[in-house]
Amino acid sequence: MPADPFPPPRDPHRPPPPYADAPYTDPRAGVPYAASPTHRTYPWMPPAPPPPRPHRAPRHAPLGHHSDLRRLRRAYRWQRRTATLTALGYFVLFLVLSAFAPSFMTGTVADGVSTGLLLAVGQVPVTWLAVALYEATARHRVDPLAALIRRQAVVDARREAVR
């Protein structure tokens, strides 16, 4: 049979012929070397990744639903807004009264203490009230939802580990 006039192009990532498909052979003895394995790719190239495992459908629906996360986000948003509006609302009220009702702010309440000074000192207890509201809403609304989601995540993780 005549030689192929159009041989296939040589693969640049494959070693040249004596080592391509057979183990190293001692040309004098004609026996393969046992110490050197055949490399079909360069030795420094990483091995091919294993094929992906087939995906199995879960036997149980996951416990954590999107509605739980939505409820948690809503509770946390309400918590932030309540605390922020409490502290900033009082401060904005103080600023508006200072700018548009100076006669009210300079009026005296008792023993020569002005209304403005009394409202300014009242900012500290209002800030404490905002912090207390933040903690109370966290304790009653946000923390129970977060704990529920956390417990459901642990159960889901155990279900995945059993597979």
Side-chain angles (χ1 to χ4, degrees):
M1 178 170 212
D4 187 10
F6 303 106
R10 189 172 95 63
D11 183 6
H13 298 291
R14 197 168 176 165
Y19 312 114
D21 295 323
Y24 294 111
T25 306
D26 184 355
R28 291 167 287 167
V31 293
Y33 289 114
S36 300
T38 301
H39 294 287
R40 294 196 177 268
T41 60
Y42 291 110
W44 58 84
M45 293 181 70
R53 293 182 10 198
H55 180 70
R56 293 187 340 190
R59 285 182 282 173
H60 305 284
L63 294 177
H65 300 290
H66 294 294
S67 62
D68 295 336
L69 293 175
R70 257 185 263 138
R71 284 177 34 214
L72 179 64
R73 280 193 301 268
R74 191 180 313 122
Y76 184 59
R77 192 178 316 126
W78 189 87
Q79 173 193 21
R80 286 181 314 206
R81 287 180 184 162
T82 302
T84 303
L85 290 177
T86 301
L88 288 180
Y90 185 85
F91 185 67
V92 167
L93 174 70
F94 176 75
L95 290 179
V96 167
L97 286 175
S98 297
F100 296 109
S103 60
F104 174 73
M105 296 297 276
T106 56
T108 58
V109 178
D111 294 332
V113 177
S114 68
T115 308
L117 181 61
L118 195 62
L119 288 174
V121 171
Q123 183 69 42
V124 172
V126 169
T127 304
W128 288 342
L129 175 68
V131 170
L133 275 171
Y134 190 86
E135 288 177 355
T137 55
R139 196 175 314 110
H140 294 296
R141 292 180 180 231
V142 177
D143 291 347
L145 286 172
L148 173 71
I149 291 172
R150 198 174 297 119
R151 283 192 306 268
Q152 289 173 347
V154 168
V155 169
D156 285 344
R158 285 185 187 148
R159 282 184 181 173
E160 284 295 320
V162 169
R163 288 176 155 199

